Amino acid sequence: MKISEIRDLSTSELKEKLYSLKEQLFELRRKKAVGSLERGEDVIVVRKDIARVNLVLRERELSETK
């Protein structure tokens, strides 16, 4: 997911997206532990998406306080 796509979402949509990404990461880690994960780089992609969402949420939080 691109940062421009993330910035277009509202704050409530971002929080929902963050929750779904964390669930997805949990499932990927579970599959990795069991040994049924086919693409290991999926974990990295989801972690980066979580970081992007957190970045935009933090930017909005800081802009509201100023």
Side-chain angles (χ1 to χ4, degrees), residues 1 3 6-7 23 26 31-33 35 37-38 40 45 51 56 59-60 64:
M1 181 172 243
I3 193 76
I6 295 172
R7 286 199 167 111
E23 283 183 337
F26 176 79
K31 286 181 181 180
K32 186 176 180 181
L37 184 63
E38 293 177 8
V45 171
V56 173
E59 285 176 346
R60 290 183 183 178
E64 289 174 1

Side-chain angles (χ1 to χ4, degrees), residues 4-63:
S4 60
E5 295 171 357
I6 295 172
R7 286 199 167 111
D8 291 338
L9 299 175
S10 69
T11 304
S12 61
E13 290 173 331
L14 283 174
K15 289 180 181 178
E16 290 175 10
K17 184 71 175 171
L18 182 63
Y19 182 78
S20 67
L21 285 170
K22 285 184 178 182
E23 283 183 337
Q24 187 178 356
L25 181 62
F26 176 79
E27 287 299 318
L28 289 172
R29 284 182 175 164
R30 186 186 59 78
K31 286 181 181 180
K32 186 176 180 181
V34 173
S36 64
L37 184 63
E38 293 177 8
R39 293 184 36 175
E41 61 270 9
D42 288 343
V43 175
I44 297 169
V45 171
V46 172
R47 287 180 63 211
K48 287 184 178 183
D49 285 342
I50 290 172
R52 287 184 188 108
V53 170
N54 280 329
L55 174 78
V56 173
L57 284 172
R58 181 67 178 152
E59 285 176 346
R60 290 183 183 178
E61 180 182 317
L62 290 175
S63 67

